[in-house]
Amino acid sequence: MGRKIVVALGGNAILSKDASAAAQQRALLETARQLVKFIENGDQLIISHGNGPQVGNLLLQQAAGSTQDNPEMPLDSCVAMTQGTIGYWMQNAMNQVIRERGLDQAVATVVTQVEVSSDDPAFGQPTKPIGPFMNKAEADLAQKQNPEFKFIEDAGRGYRRVVPSPKPIGVIETAAVNTLVDAGIVPITVGGGGIPVVRDGNRLVGKEAVIDKDFASEKLAELIDADALIILTAVDNIYVNFNQPNQKKLKRVSTVELGRYIEQKQFAPGSMLPKVEAAVDFVNTTGKEAVVTALDNIEGFIKEGEGTVIVKQSVSTNV
């Protein structure tokens, strides 16, 4: 077995403007053509993914069609629904590309529960953006139609609903994922950050929340003793002073340096910040490397080490 790597894929990479199933399946087929490069490189791949756009859309659809006899499902169940749907699309896309490349590889989706604390302060402070971007008029209308929802402006790109986002403290299906990995199967797991649950004696009870997929992926990577955590985003590298004349690309950077940049508020809270924080957590906890780069830069990372590599200590190569 080669390197054991957890690759975290954002929900926005699956759904952009067209929310139809066909469009998302087409996007995932292109995603699979990139991800299969890790398999061709001899790596043991573990795939995780977000679901922010998808679960938000599902909640709006359910709220619009809810009746007393056919009520909408709670948020944890909607996370499970989108986790299963995206996993189904992704494993089919991966299987198609694997066959096209003449590889011998199995893929399986694990409906994954992620443990959180019932005392997590996030339950009183909704911060996780989900669903489609809206302009102010659209957000005001959605607020009027759904008075229990909360909407905020998200990173200058429009308005979105926000929900609680507690930190993961465990992955219930860790043993199942390890069994698949030991058998050489590619698991698709902690989809959408996993279904948030708390322990109540022998029971696991779902909570109304969406866990950030980067933090859930970090926790999984830590628990399964992954060799690397790779977080895929919209840009090839992490930047400081992003989109400013003095912007700087980070190529190889230490967790200490990133800590200073976090203190300087260099990273947008709803965008790059959770990716950076998750990468720092993984490196500090395990001593191994994390990488932040773009989906279409996977080949560049595999062949040339392109992207932002986060380590405990580094000799700066940033420009």
Side-chain angles (χ1 to χ4, degrees):
M1 182 187 298
R3 295 181 307 162
K4 188 192 303 184
I5 56 173
V6 172
V7 177
L9 177 72
N12 286 309
I14 305 165
L15 187 159
S16 53
K17 293 183 179 180
D18 188 342
S20 70
Q24 294 183 76
Q25 287 171 296
R26 286 194 298 270
L28 279 168
L29 188 57
E30 294 307 311
T31 296
R33 292 194 169 110
Q34 297 294 333
L35 293 179
V36 79
K37 294 174 182 177
F38 287 112
I39 299 173
E40 292 176 317
N41 192 52
D43 298 319
Q44 170 61 50
L45 179 62
I46 299 97
I47 302 171
S48 64
H49 62 83
N51 74 339
Q54 293 83 3
V55 75
N57 285 351
L58 179 58
L59 286 166
L60 291 173
Q61 291 163 2
Q62 293 225 355
S66 179
T67 66
Q68 184 173 354
D69 292 334
N70 188 26
E72 59 194 289
M73 292 292 104
L75 181 49
D76 59 309
S77 295
C78 289
V79 172
M81 292 177 192
T82 54
Q83 188 181 111
T85 299
I86 296 170
Y88 153 60
W89 292 338
M90 184 174 290
Q91 71 185 28
N92 274 358
M94 288 293 294
N95 283 331
Q96 178 179 331
V97 176
I98 285 167
R99 288 193 297 270
E100 289 173 353
R101 303 288 175 85
L103 300 172
D104 181 18
Q105 183 73 58
V107 183
T109 298
V110 180
V111 177
T112 315
Q113 301 168 97
V114 172
E115 185 179 358
V116 299
S117 169
S118 59
D119 297 327
D120 194 305
F123 286 112
Q125 301 172 334
T127 59
K128 173 67 176 173
I130 62 172
F133 286 96
M134 307 176 185
N135 59 35
K136 185 65 165 61
E138 291 169 333
D140 288 344
L141 177 60
Q143 182 73 81
K144 184 177 179 180
Q145 294 171 333
N146 306 279
E148 73 280 13
F149 289 4
K150 179 180 178 182
F151 295 85
I152 65 164
E153 194 276 330
D154 179 15
R157 294 175 290 177
Y159 291 81
R160 298 176 80 187
R161 183 187 171 189
V162 288
V163 298
S165 185
K167 290 292 181 68
I169 59 176
V171 177
I172 303 301
E173 284 74 26
T174 296
V177 173
N178 273 329
T179 298
L180 291 173
V181 169
D182 290 344
I185 297 169
V186 174
I188 301 168
T189 181
V190 295
I195 304 159
V197 296
V198 298
R199 292 189 183 274
D200 180 14
N202 291 325
R203 298 172 61 232
L204 295 171
V205 181
K207 298 293 289 183
E208 289 272 319
V210 173
I211 302 168
D212 187 278
K213 73 97 178 40
D214 296 312
F215 290 118
S217 301
E218 186 283 324
K219 180 57 65 175
L220 176 73
E222 178 188 325
L223 291 173
I224 67 171
D225 194 26
D227 296 308
L229 170 66
I230 300 177
I231 299 175
L232 300 178
T233 184
V235 291
D236 289 354
N237 291 76
I238 300 171
Y239 289 82
V240 293
N241 305 317
F242 185 60
N243 276 343
Q244 299 177 34
N246 62 335
Q247 82 171 14
K248 181 172 69 171
K249 177 192 295 188
L250 303 181
K251 295 183 178 180
R252 187 174 181 88
V253 60
S254 73
T255 57
V256 173
E257 292 173 84
L258 282 177
R260 289 197 293 265
Y261 291 135
I262 291 171
E263 290 177 358
Q264 296 169 13
K265 301 187 185 304
Q266 285 279 355
F267 311 119
S271 180
M272 185 59 75
L273 181 60
K275 296 171 177 57
V276 172
E277 290 180 329
V280 167
D281 286 349
F282 178 74
V283 174
N284 281 341
T285 301
T286 67
K288 299 172 182 176
E289 293 184 350
V291 179
V292 177
T293 193
L295 176 68
D296 59 9
N297 190 47
I298 286 176
E299 188 167 352
F301 165 70
I302 291 172
K303 292 184 176 180
E304 305 292 340
E306 296 175 2
T308 298
V309 179
I310 298 102
V311 295
K312 274 206 166 181
Q313 297 184 11
S314 71
V315 177
S316 180
T317 58
N318 303 318
V319 294

